[in-house]
Amino acid sequence: MSDFTTLTVAELNELQDQLQSKLETFKSQGLNLDMSRGKPSPKQLDLSNEMLDVVSSQDLLKDESGTDARNYGGLDGITEAKQFFADMLEVSPKEILIGGNSSLNMMYDAIARAMTFGVYGSETPWGKLPSVKFLCPSPGYDRHFSICELFNIEMIVIDMKENGPDIDEVERLVKEDESIKGIWCVPKYSNPDGITYSDEVVDRLAKMETKANDFRIFWDNAYNVHHLTDSPDTLMDIMATCKEVGNPDRVFIFSSTSKITFAGSGIGVMAASEQNLGLIKEQLSMQTIGPDKLNQLRHVRFFKNMENLHEHMRKHAEIIKPKFDMVLNKLETELKEKNIASWHEPNGGYFISLNTLDGCAKDVVRMAGEAGVKLTGAGATFPYGKDPRDRNIRIAPTFPSLDELEKAMDVLCLCVQISSVKKLVAKKQ
Ligand code: PLP
């Protein structure tokens, strides 16, 4: 079957009947499948089980500098963990702050602190200003947007393009509006598009003129080392670039080992200039005496160095690449020629982002749900849950088994076709 958009109303109606009867067959199977969860599968978690054995009662539980990991102290992390994450994020250990088990938690805290106290260089706490706005490249990570919503930070949608956010628009807005205090970025294998920002975009973000002198880039590098192929994307070093162009304090970098070791029992980490971290640590010292150092010991003794980390990530890729391939093959065979959907083939990360015809995403998610296939809610990838074109659907292939994924994709592709046919018929009538 070729291009749906060239079919007559009669042909589309006939097609609709055929597709609907196929969907009824799936419905009668009583499926209960879930493609909504961006979680590692149990097999992926198994890869890190040995980490639980590398720190036992028989081991010396001190870090390299002699700090007892069982006791209080070490607000920003143990020496070797700071070195490890500095290597991973290509910054200096002095620019590292290790947190608890979640980078999202650190992002939330960074916003909460900025609202209450301001950031390094702020004249006024953000929360005391008449209005605070954030730029939100979209589709993006729903939890970034939820944080803004909770703190009453107005979100401005910025289109995601093949090379990152629409940088012309970003530059134009930040130059003229002092209330724009930040931008959310998932710069590598973005959630959900799987796009890596080009060097030009990174460079322009680092050097753009901002009306707010305390503007921050929230650089959520969650998928930094999560490659799917042997020819990974490369991301320009934003911290070095910010320093070079005279904006050393502009970026807050975040990452974690949630999808490297154990989601929920990993290590969250933040990197920023020493000036930024100086202020943050002062404030943080009222909040905690320090994060879990035993978990840091476990991680560094398990990985030892970057080479082992990359080898570990290759094992993740071996498990999840066939799942990504399955999703992409289904999209290719079921939808490609029909001119009703588009997607980006990611080189890493956790998601595939599917764009339907305008106005179909909600309908597709509802229909798939009725057939027993749960998808991330339509609109979730946009600020306020509102996808202006109602077309983006986030597919999370990592958690289901290959068999489950195959069935779920069959249902999804059928629903996309049915919804598209309905849309095209309505347009043509
Ligand atoms: N950032 C992005 C872009 C994510 O996709 C996720 C999880 O899906 C997180 C952060 C959550 O990370 P953590 O488990 O470290 O809080």
Side-chain angles (χ1 to χ4, degrees):
M1 178 67 61
S2 56
D3 193 342
F4 277 15
T5 59
T6 61
L7 299 180
T8 64
V9 170
E11 286 167 332
L12 287 167
N13 281 333
E14 191 186 328
L15 183 59
Q16 167 86 337
D17 291 342
Q18 291 163 11
L19 294 166
Q20 195 67 46
S21 92
K22 279 191 196 167
L23 187 62
E24 293 309 318
T25 314
F26 278 111
K27 274 188 179 168
S28 67
Q29 295 176 17
L31 302 175
N32 183 13
L33 306 169
D34 194 338
M35 281 202 295
S36 71
R37 293 171 297 185
K39 302 207 291 194
S41 63
K43 255 194 181 166
Q44 288 176 268
L45 298 172
D46 287 346
L47 295 174
S48 303
N49 279 355
E50 279 172 30
M51 193 176 75
L52 298 173
D53 304 330
V54 296
V55 172
S56 77
S57 59
Q58 310 305 311
D59 295 308
L60 181 67
L61 300 172
K62 290 184 175 172
D63 81 350
E64 276 171 9
S65 68
T67 302
D68 192 332
R70 300 166 303 173
N71 217 333
Y72 275 142
L75 182 68
D76 54 2
I78 63 172
T79 310
E80 52 267 54
K82 280 194 283 184
Q83 184 63 57
F84 179 83
F85 286 111
D87 293 343
M88 186 174 113
L89 297 173
E90 295 176 294
V91 298
S92 147
K94 289 187 190 146
E95 294 163 334
I96 289 285
L97 172 71
I98 295 180
N101 69 333
S102 150
S103 60
L104 186 68
N105 192 164
M106 298 184 93
M107 293 178 236
Y108 178 101
D109 279 351
I111 294 277
R113 276 191 304 267
M115 294 299 281
T116 315
F117 310 113
V119 295
Y120 174 77
S122 291
E123 280 157 21
T124 313
W126 294 0
K128 291 242 160 76
L129 297 169
S131 134
V132 183
K133 299 180 194 139
F134 254 60
L135 302 184
C136 298
S138 304
Y141 180 37
D142 55 343
R143 290 177 191 267
H144 290 161
F145 305 152
S146 311
I147 295 175
C148 281
E149 214 172 334
L150 184 64
F151 283 97
N152 210 12
I153 296 173
E154 186 183 328
M155 292 179 270
I156 301 173
V157 173
I158 301 290
D159 281 344
M160 272 297 279
K161 305 205 155 187
E162 277 299 301
N163 297 324
D166 180 345
I167 191 69
D168 291 337
E169 183 67 355
V170 171
E171 283 175 341
R172 189 183 70 73
L173 289 166
V174 295
K175 194 172 170 187
E176 65 192 27
D177 188 345
E178 199 174 0
S179 66
I180 299 177
K181 294 291 188 186
I183 181 170
W184 287 111
C185 295
V186 184
K188 196 159 179 184
Y189 309 132
S190 64
N191 175 353
D193 285 320
I195 282 170
T196 298
Y197 292 14
S198 68
D199 290 359
E200 187 198 340
V201 167
V202 177
D203 190 54
R204 287 171 68 179
L205 284 167
K207 65 159 73 123
M208 68 194 178
E209 192 188 319
T210 62
K211 186 122 191 231
N213 63 5
D214 54 353
F215 179 90
R216 289 292 180 278
I217 299 171
F218 281 63
W219 197 250
D220 181 359
N221 206 352
Y223 301 108
N224 185 22
V225 292
H226 302 59
H227 317 300
L228 281 169
T229 70
D230 290 332
S231 47
D233 293 356
T234 53
L235 176 67
M236 192 162 155
D237 181 342
I238 188 140
M239 183 79 101
T241 313
C242 282
K243 282 180 195 164
E244 260 167 51
V245 300
N247 292 318
D249 303 316
R250 176 167 289 184
V251 65
F252 286 166
I253 300 175
F254 301 90
S255 193
S256 78
T257 65
S258 287
K259 286 159 184 176
I260 296 175
T261 56
F262 298 137
S265 302
I267 296 176
V269 60
M270 177 175 182
S273 71
E274 287 183 64
Q275 308 272 36
N276 272 322
L277 283 193
L279 178 65
I280 290 171
K281 283 193 252 182
E282 230 176 271
Q283 296 163 344
L284 193 64
S285 66
M286 309 299 151
Q287 190 181 356
T288 176
I289 305 172
D292 178 351
K293 294 187 292 301
L294 287 169
N295 201 26
Q296 294 173 40
L297 265 191
R298 254 182 237 120
H299 276 74
V300 288
R301 288 187 184 172
F302 179 60
F303 285 118
K304 296 187 181 71
N305 54 44
M306 281 304 109
E307 208 183 333
N308 291 337
L309 171 68
H310 290 301
E311 185 48 38
H312 183 82
M313 295 315 291
R314 272 192 280 278
K315 292 182 195 157
H316 274 285
E318 265 172 38
I319 297 169
I320 62 176
K321 177 81 167 40
K323 298 182 181 184
F324 276 76
D325 287 346
M326 151 76 71
V327 170
L328 291 164
N329 283 338
K330 284 280 174 197
L331 293 175
E332 188 86 14
T333 52
E334 301 299 320
L335 303 179
K336 179 86 182 273
E337 306 271 278
K338 294 169 186 162
N339 206 7
I340 50 174
S342 61
W343 56 92
H344 171 80
E345 191 174 326
N347 246 343
Y350 254 60
F351 303 101
I352 291 167
S353 169
L354 176 68
N355 283 323
T356 62
L357 294 179
D358 286 8
C360 289
K362 271 201 191 103
D363 191 39
V364 168
V365 171
R366 179 194 53 76
M367 241 190 294
E370 285 167 9
V373 175
K374 187 169 174 215
L375 294 159
T376 307
T381 53
F382 281 77
Y384 309 105
K386 284 189 198 131
D387 174 355
R389 295 175 66 178
D390 183 26
R391 64 169 189 162
N392 188 250
I393 296 174
R394 186 182 84 165
I395 301 173
T398 57
F399 192 79
S401 70
L402 212 49
D403 286 349
E404 288 171 332
L405 205 55
E406 183 168 15
K407 265 212 174 123
M409 281 308 295
D410 283 333
V411 171
L412 171 62
C413 290
L414 263 180
C415 294
V416 171
Q417 293 177 73
I418 293 170
S419 187
S420 306
V421 168
K422 282 193 283 187
K423 202 50 55 308
L424 291 169
V425 168
K427 240 190 193 170
K428 287 182 188 228
Q429 269 171 347

